[in-house]
C-alpha cells in the first residue's frame, strides 16, 4: 500500500494524511468512501448468523419509550413492521471471507489495533441510542440509509439503570444521512447516535481495540510470572529453553531461618522481602513486553474454529511447491517484532524471517518468492504444522 496515495476511502487523502489529521483526533464524514459498494453479506445472512450459538449477537429495541436489549442466539427475529429494532452481529469477519477482506482496506493501521467487523441491520427508526465508545470506529453504510448525529461533547455521563450505555445529555454538533458507500470515522469518546431511515438499513462498524493501562500492566506481570516459572524450570522459554539466563530461583519460598513466634498473625519480614526480591529479579524489557503483546493480541477469538485443511495436498517440509501461494486463514492472527513471531496466541518456534514477515503483512506468500528459498527447516516445519491446523492454506 502506498501510504502517500490519496484514497477515496479516506475522503481523497492519503493514509499518512488521515493518520496525521484525524486518527484519534476528530470525526470525518467521507461521502462515497467505497463507490458502488455492495454489502459483504446479505441481510438474510446476518439474521442467519444471529441464530447461531457460536456467534455473538444483540437485539436492541424500544418498548413504550424504554430501551430493551437481549443477547442472541435468536430463534425468532422481529419483522420490519414490528417497530424500531436493531440487530447487531459481532466479529462477522470470523464467519465471512468478504467481511474479512473489507477489514484489509484498513491495514494502514497496525493489526495490533484492529478488532473486528460488526454488522447491524435495522428497521425504520432502529438504533442503539446516543452513546460513545472508548475505541476508534469506521461506520460504513452498507445498505439503506442511516442518519448520524455526532459531536465531541465533554459531558459523557450515562443514564443510570439501563441495559445499554445511553448518554444522559446528548448534544450533537453535526448531522448527516449516510447512503451506501458513505462512511463516518469517529475517534474514541465521540458522542454519536445513528437512526435507520427506512427499512433495510445495514451499517458496518470496523472497530479498533485499545487496551487499558490496567490490562497492559496485568498482562506484562503475567508474562513476568511465566519468566519466573521458566527460571525455576517449571516452564520452558519460547523455544523450549529457560526464558532467561541467570540465577536459578527456588520454585517455592523457603524459610529455614524462621524463629518461633509469639505473634502468629504478623506477616513475616522474610516473606515480604522474598516477594520484593522476586520482582527485582524480573527483567521488564522489550522482549518480555513483545512476547506478552504478541501472544495476547494474536489469541484467536474463543468463537474461532479452524477448518481441517482441504484441497491440494502439499508437503512444505520435503517438497516446497514451485508455484502457488500460502494464504493466512481469515481467523488467523499473526504479528512480529524483530525476530519474534507470533501466531494464534503462540510464539512461533522459528524466527520472523523475511518470508514469514511477508506472510504476516500481506496475509499471503507466493511460494516462488525468493525469500522462500531461504526458509529454514524449522520454518518449513512450522508452516507445515500451521497448514495441518488450518491456520494457513495452500492455493495452487
Ligand atoms: C458503533 O459501532 O459505535 C455504533 O454506534 C454502531 C451502531 C449501529 O450499527 O447501529
Amino acid at each position: 500500500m502506498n501510504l502517500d496515495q490519496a484514497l477515496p476511502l479516506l475522503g481523497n487523502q492519503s493514509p499518512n494524511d488521515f493518520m496525521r489529521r484525524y486518527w484519534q483526533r476528530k470525526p470525518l464524514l467521507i461521502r462515497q468512501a467505497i463507490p458502488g459498494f455492495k454489502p459483504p453479506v446479505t441481510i438474510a445472512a446476518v439474521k442467519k448468523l444471529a441464530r447461531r450459538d457460536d456467534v455473538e449477537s444483540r437485539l436492541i429495541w424500544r418498548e413504550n419509550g424504554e430501551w430493551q436489549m437481549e443477547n442472541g442466539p435468536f430463534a425468532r427475529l422481529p419483522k420490519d413492521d414490528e417497530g424500531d429494532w436493531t440487530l447487531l452481529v459481532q466479529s462477522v469477519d470470523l464467519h465471512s471471507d468478504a467481511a474479512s477482506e473489507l477489514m484489509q482496506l484498513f491495514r494502514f493501521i497496525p493489526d495490533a489495533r484492529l478488532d473486528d467487523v460488526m454488522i447491524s441491520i435495522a428497521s425504520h427508526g432502529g438504533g442503539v441510542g446516543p452513546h460513545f465508545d472508548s475505541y476508534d470506529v469506521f461506520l460504513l453504510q452498507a445498505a439503506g440509509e442511516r442518519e448520524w448525529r455526532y459531536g465531541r461533547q465533554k459531558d459523557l455521563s450515562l443514564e443510570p439503570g439501563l441495559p445499554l450505555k445511553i448518554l444522559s445529555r446528548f448534544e450533537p454538533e453535526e448531522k448527516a444521512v449516510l447512503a451506501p458507500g458513505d462512511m463516518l470515522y469517529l475517534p474514541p469518546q465521540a458522542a454519536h447516535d445513528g437512526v435507520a431511515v427506512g427499512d433495510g438499513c445495514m451499517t458496518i462498524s470496523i472497530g479498533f481495540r485499545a487496551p487499558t493501562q490496567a490490562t497492559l500492566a496485568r498482562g506484562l506481570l503475567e508474562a513476568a510470572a511465566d519468566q519466573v516459572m521458566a527460571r525455576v524450570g517449571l516452564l520452558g522459554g519460547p523455544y523450549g529453553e529457560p526464558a532467561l539466563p541467570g540465577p536459578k530461583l527456588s520454585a517455592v519460598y523457603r524459610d529455614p531461618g524462621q524463629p518461633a513466634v509469639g505473634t502468629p498473625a504478623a506477616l513475616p519480614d522474610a516473606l515480604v522481602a522474598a516477594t520484593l526480591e522476586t520482582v527485582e529479579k524480573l527483567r521488564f524489557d522489550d522482549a518480555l513486553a513483545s512476547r506478552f503483546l504478541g501472544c495476547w493480541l494474536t489469541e484467536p477469538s474463543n468463537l474461532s474454529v479452524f477448518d481441517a485443511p482441504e484441497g491440494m495436498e502439499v508437503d512444505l517440509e520435503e517438497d516446497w511447491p514451485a508455484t502457488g501461494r500460502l494464504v493466512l486463514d481469515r481467523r488467523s492472527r499473526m504479528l512480529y517484532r524483530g525476530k519474534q513471531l507470533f501466531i494464534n496466541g503462540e510464539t512461533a518456534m522459528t524466527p520472523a524471517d523475511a518470508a514469514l514477515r511477508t506472510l504476516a503483512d500481506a496475509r499471503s506468500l507466493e511460494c516462488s518468492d525468493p525469500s522462500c528459498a531461504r526458509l529454514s527447516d524449522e520454518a518449513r516445519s512450522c508452516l507445515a504444522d500451521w497448514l495441518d491446523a488450518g491456520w494457513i492454506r495452500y492455493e495452487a
Side-chain angles (χ1 to χ4, degrees), residues 278-346:
T278 312
V279 175
E280 276 159 21
K281 289 198 179 101
L282 296 174
R283 198 189 292 163
F284 289 100
D285 57 9
D286 194 301
L288 182 72
S290 305
R291 184 154 0 122
F292 146 58
L293 289 169
C295 293
W296 175 56
L297 292 170
T298 60
E299 188 66 49
S301 151
N302 53 4
L303 301 175
S304 283
V305 180
F306 290 93
D307 302 323
E310 55 179 49
M312 291 216 26
E313 285 287 309
V314 65
D315 183 350
L316 297 179
E317 278 182 277
E318 301 297 330
D319 189 15
W320 185 262
T323 57
R325 58 186 200 138
L326 298 174
V327 180
L328 271 184
D329 182 82
R330 63 172 185 266
R331 287 155 284 215
S332 283
R333 295 177 180 165
M334 195 173 185
L335 296 172
Y336 61 83
R337 180 168 173 85
K339 285 284 169 203
Q340 290 174 288
L341 181 67
F342 310 96
I343 180 164
N344 291 341
E346 294 177 7

Side-chain angles (χ1 to χ4, degrees), residues 86 88 118 120 128 131 133 137 139 146 148 192 203 205:
T86 297
L88 303 115
M118 179 183 83
S120 74
V128 303
H131 68 286
D133 300 304
V137 66
L139 298 157
R146 169 161 261 150
W148 286 101
H192 57 289
T203 303
S205 303

